Amino acid sequence: MTRPGSTCARPVPRERFANIDGLRAVAALCVMVEHMFGDLLRQTAPGAGPMRVVGMALSQSVSLGRYGVAIFFLISGFVVPFSIRGECPLAHFAISRLFRLYPALWFALAVLTATAWVSGEPPATATVLANMTMAPMILGQPWLSPIYWTLFVELVFYLLVALLFSAGALRRVGVLLAVALGLIVATVLPVTLRIHGLANLPVQYLGLHLAWLFVGLLLRLGMVERRRGAMGAVLLLVLAQGGAVLLVADYSLARADLFVIDGRIPVMSAYALAVATFWIAVRARRPRSMLARIGLISYAMYLLHGSVNVAIYRLMPLTGSMPDALTMAICTLSTLVVSWMVYMRIERPMIRLGRRLSRGSADRILRADVVAMGGSNT
């Protein structure tokens, strides 16, 4: 029973895409492979062996790390905004995101902090506390692991989604396209002005990353909800994103800010491959089975693979030779085991707790609605 105009609404039937979990696994594994080969290239000298040759060839053809991140962002755009549903949707959304993301992050940060202490380089307390918010740069602190930069992008996207939902615009294709294009311009314009010496505005790539999340959102509206104009908006946005990446690529490479690391071809290949993979997976309902199970632990894999790799490297240093393949296999298997334990002991219990708290919050608000209406059953 809800009061007219109340922020609480009746639950909407949920639809789960099993293939999306498989895509999460693909994304997480690609990020892991990228980082392992990146470690290999940094830790070995040119000509060290065949595995280094493989790493060099891979880095010059496609950025698996950017591909994995692009898949993760498409998934978030495709799934997350549509979890704002049921009774008291915004409260439910906030609680579910909090309990889904922060406990595992805090565990991963504890591992990083303990590792730093053992290495004799303990991080400042302010840095650790800032990292726990998922927005350390706003507080003037660095990430304890540079891998975690995507978490802040996701956090900002959640805020934008909540605002769009509150404004009744979460399914308005024209509004979503305008917001996404505006985010792209917010990155491209400062870079263009700097290149031509017209203004020294601050440069950030957050806008491009957020715009990519909107591609996933519009794909959901087009492929699942069949909203008019959604697929045309997807095409326009993908083209705008590609053009923007090409425009800022040389500037990024020149100042080594890590948005574009190895050149235009690897990053453009990554975005193109991500769109193609996502489209095929959603249309064909693939991949599933074992990949879907691995997808359940993809968040923990993303958070913890760096720490696991460092521990393995101490026992089996990378050399650039063929035995590195065994080292990488052990790193991957170890990450899967650790991530499954974290999922079972931390993530899943916290997700369930968040759901219970969310239901309790909704019940309290509904009871307050009934009292305010004098006990009306309408």
mmCIF file of all heavy atoms in Angstrom, residues 313-330:
data_model
loop_
_atom_site.group_PDB
_atom_site.id
_atom_site.type_symbol
_atom_site.label_atom_id
_atom_site.label_comp_id
_atom_site.label_asym_id
_atom_site.label_seq_id
_atom_site.Cartn_x
_atom_site.Cartn_y
_atom_site.Cartn_z
ATOM 1 N N TYR A 313 55.040 -13.904 -7.455
ATOM 2 C CA TYR A 313 56.294 -13.469 -8.081
ATOM 3 C C TYR A 313 57.484 -13.596 -7.122
ATOM 4 O O TYR A 313 58.624 -13.771 -7.557
ATOM 5 C CB TYR A 313 56.201 -12.018 -8.544
ATOM 6 C CG TYR A 313 55.202 -11.763 -9.638
ATOM 7 C CD1 TYR A 313 54.680 -10.475 -9.829
ATOM 8 C CD2 TYR A 313 54.753 -12.776 -10.495
ATOM 9 C CE1 TYR A 313 53.757 -10.215 -10.837
ATOM 10 C CE2 TYR A 313 53.828 -12.522 -11.493
ATOM 11 C CZ TYR A 313 53.336 -11.239 -11.657
ATOM 12 O OH TYR A 313 52.417 -10.982 -12.633
ATOM 13 N N ARG A 314 57.224 -13.479 -5.818
ATOM 14 C CA ARG A 314 58.316 -13.602 -4.852
ATOM 15 C C ARG A 314 58.907 -15.015 -4.896
ATOM 16 O O ARG A 314 60.100 -15.210 -4.662
ATOM 17 C CB ARG A 314 57.815 -13.282 -3.442
ATOM 18 C CG ARG A 314 57.449 -11.821 -3.228
ATOM 19 C CD ARG A 314 56.964 -11.583 -1.810
ATOM 20 N NE ARG A 314 56.539 -10.211 -1.606
ATOM 21 C CZ ARG A 314 57.336 -9.197 -1.290
ATOM 22 N NH1 ARG A 314 58.640 -9.432 -1.155
ATOM 23 N NH2 ARG A 314 56.866 -7.985 -1.126
ATOM 24 N N LEU A 315 58.058 -15.992 -5.174
ATOM 25 C CA LEU A 315 58.496 -17.385 -5.242
ATOM 26 C C LEU A 315 58.925 -17.784 -6.641
ATOM 27 O O LEU A 315 59.813 -18.623 -6.818
ATOM 28 C CB LEU A 315 57.371 -18.312 -4.760
ATOM 29 C CG LEU A 315 56.867 -18.082 -3.338
ATOM 30 C CD1 LEU A 315 55.661 -18.983 -3.059
ATOM 31 C CD2 LEU A 315 57.969 -18.336 -2.328
ATOM 32 N N MET A 316 58.271 -17.177 -7.652
ATOM 33 C CA MET A 316 58.537 -17.546 -9.051
ATOM 34 C C MET A 316 58.686 -16.254 -9.861
ATOM 35 O O MET A 316 57.760 -15.828 -10.554
ATOM 36 C CB MET A 316 57.393 -18.395 -9.595
ATOM 37 C CG MET A 316 57.095 -19.645 -8.777
ATOM 38 S SD MET A 316 55.642 -20.566 -9.389
ATOM 39 C CE MET A 316 56.267 -21.134 -10.984
ATOM 40 N N PRO A 317 59.839 -15.608 -9.794
ATOM 41 C CA PRO A 317 60.030 -14.334 -10.506
ATOM 42 C C PRO A 317 59.852 -14.494 -12.017
ATOM 43 O O PRO A 317 60.200 -15.531 -12.600
ATOM 44 C CB PRO A 317 61.476 -13.949 -10.159
ATOM 45 C CG PRO A 317 61.801 -14.732 -8.933
ATOM 46 C CD PRO A 317 61.030 -16.013 -9.042
ATOM 47 N N LEU A 318 59.315 -13.468 -12.640
ATOM 48 C CA LEU A 318 59.155 -13.465 -14.092
ATOM 49 C C LEU A 318 60.510 -13.253 -14.754
ATOM 50 O O LEU A 318 61.297 -12.405 -14.327
ATOM 51 C CB LEU A 318 58.184 -12.365 -14.506
ATOM 52 C CG LEU A 318 56.741 -12.525 -14.001
ATOM 53 C CD1 LEU A 318 55.924 -11.272 -14.289
ATOM 54 C CD2 LEU A 318 56.072 -13.737 -14.636
ATOM 55 N N THR A 319 60.764 -14.021 -15.833
ATOM 56 C CA THR A 319 62.053 -13.953 -16.505
ATOM 57 C C THR A 319 61.936 -13.653 -17.998
ATOM 58 O O THR A 319 62.925 -13.356 -18.650
ATOM 59 C CB THR A 319 62.802 -15.282 -16.348
ATOM 60 O OG1 THR A 319 62.050 -16.332 -16.983
ATOM 61 C CG2 THR A 319 63.000 -15.620 -14.867
ATOM 62 N N GLY A 320 60.724 -13.769 -18.543
ATOM 63 C CA GLY A 320 60.535 -13.598 -19.978
ATOM 64 C C GLY A 320 60.617 -14.895 -20.741
ATOM 65 O O GLY A 320 60.357 -14.938 -21.945
ATOM 66 N N SER A 321 60.975 -15.992 -20.076
ATOM 67 C CA SER A 321 61.118 -17.300 -20.726
ATOM 68 C C SER A 321 59.824 -18.098 -20.590
ATOM 69 O O SER A 321 58.874 -17.686 -19.923
ATOM 70 C CB SER A 321 62.288 -18.062 -20.116
ATOM 71 O OG SER A 321 62.098 -18.225 -18.726
ATOM 72 N N MET A 322 59.761 -19.270 -21.185
ATOM 73 C CA MET A 322 58.557 -20.081 -21.223
ATOM 74 C C MET A 322 58.021 -20.482 -19.841
ATOM 75 O O MET A 322 56.802 -20.576 -19.663
ATOM 76 C CB MET A 322 58.791 -21.332 -22.070
ATOM 77 C CG MET A 322 58.850 -21.054 -23.568
ATOM 78 S SD MET A 322 57.379 -20.172 -24.175
ATOM 79 C CE MET A 322 56.093 -21.366 -23.819
ATOM 80 N N PRO A 323 58.876 -20.725 -18.846
ATOM 81 C CA PRO A 323 58.330 -21.047 -17.515
ATOM 82 C C PRO A 323 57.401 -19.964 -16.950
ATOM 83 O O PRO A 323 56.628 -20.242 -16.026
ATOM 84 C CB PRO A 323 59.594 -21.206 -16.660
ATOM 85 C CG PRO A 323 60.636 -21.677 -17.621
ATOM 86 C CD PRO A 323 60.342 -20.916 -18.890
ATOM 87 N N ASP A 324 57.470 -18.752 -17.495
ATOM 88 C CA ASP A 324 56.543 -17.703 -17.048
ATOM 89 C C ASP A 324 55.093 -18.089 -17.310
ATOM 90 O O ASP A 324 54.185 -17.618 -16.614
ATOM 91 C CB ASP A 324 56.842 -16.376 -17.762
ATOM 92 C CG ASP A 324 58.112 -15.718 -17.244
ATOM 93 O OD1 ASP A 324 58.651 -16.182 -16.222
ATOM 94 O OD2 ASP A 324 58.560 -14.740 -17.866
ATOM 95 N N ALA A 325 54.862 -18.934 -18.310
ATOM 96 C CA ALA A 325 53.497 -19.395 -18.581
ATOM 97 C C ALA A 325 52.960 -20.167 -17.379
ATOM 98 O O ALA A 325 51.785 -20.037 -17.011
ATOM 99 C CB ALA A 325 53.474 -20.265 -19.834
ATOM 100 N N LEU A 326 53.817 -20.974 -16.757
ATOM 101 C CA LEU A 326 53.419 -21.709 -15.553
ATOM 102 C C LEU A 326 53.162 -20.740 -14.399
ATOM 103 O O LEU A 326 52.191 -20.889 -13.647
ATOM 104 C CB LEU A 326 54.493 -22.716 -15.168
ATOM 105 C CG LEU A 326 54.257 -23.490 -13.863
ATOM 106 C CD1 LEU A 326 52.966 -24.295 -13.955
ATOM 107 C CD2 LEU A 326 55.451 -24.386 -13.548
ATOM 108 N N THR A 327 54.036 -19.735 -14.263
ATOM 109 C CA THR A 327 53.844 -18.731 -13.219
ATOM 110 C C THR A 327 52.499 -18.036 -13.376
ATOM 111 O O THR A 327 51.749 -17.855 -12.402
ATOM 112 C CB THR A 327 54.977 -17.684 -13.268
ATOM 113 O OG1 THR A 327 56.235 -18.333 -13.078
ATOM 114 C CG2 THR A 327 54.774 -16.623 -12.195
ATOM 115 N N MET A 328 52.166 -17.646 -14.602
ATOM 116 C CA MET A 328 50.891 -16.963 -14.852
ATOM 117 C C MET A 328 49.709 -17.881 -14.581
ATOM 118 O O MET A 328 48.676 -17.439 -14.059
ATOM 119 C CB MET A 328 50.862 -16.457 -16.293
ATOM 120 C CG MET A 328 51.834 -15.331 -16.574
ATOM 121 S SD MET A 328 51.710 -14.739 -18.285
ATOM 122 C CE MET A 328 52.937 -13.418 -18.262
ATOM 123 N N ALA A 329 49.849 -19.158 -14.924
ATOM 124 C CA ALA A 329 48.771 -20.118 -14.662
ATOM 125 C C ALA A 329 48.543 -20.263 -13.159
ATOM 126 O O ALA A 329 47.398 -20.319 -12.689
ATOM 127 C CB ALA A 329 49.104 -21.463 -15.290
ATOM 128 N N ILE A 330 49.642 -20.314 -12.391
ATOM 129 C CA ILE A 330 49.525 -20.422 -10.938
ATOM 130 C C ILE A 330 48.909 -19.149 -10.355
ATOM 131 O O ILE A 330 48.078 -19.204 -9.439
ATOM 132 C CB ILE A 330 50.902 -20.712 -10.312
ATOM 133 C CG1 ILE A 330 51.368 -22.110 -10.723
ATOM 134 C CG2 ILE A 330 50.858 -20.575 -8.797
ATOM 135 C CD1 ILE A 330 52.769 -22.453 -10.271
#
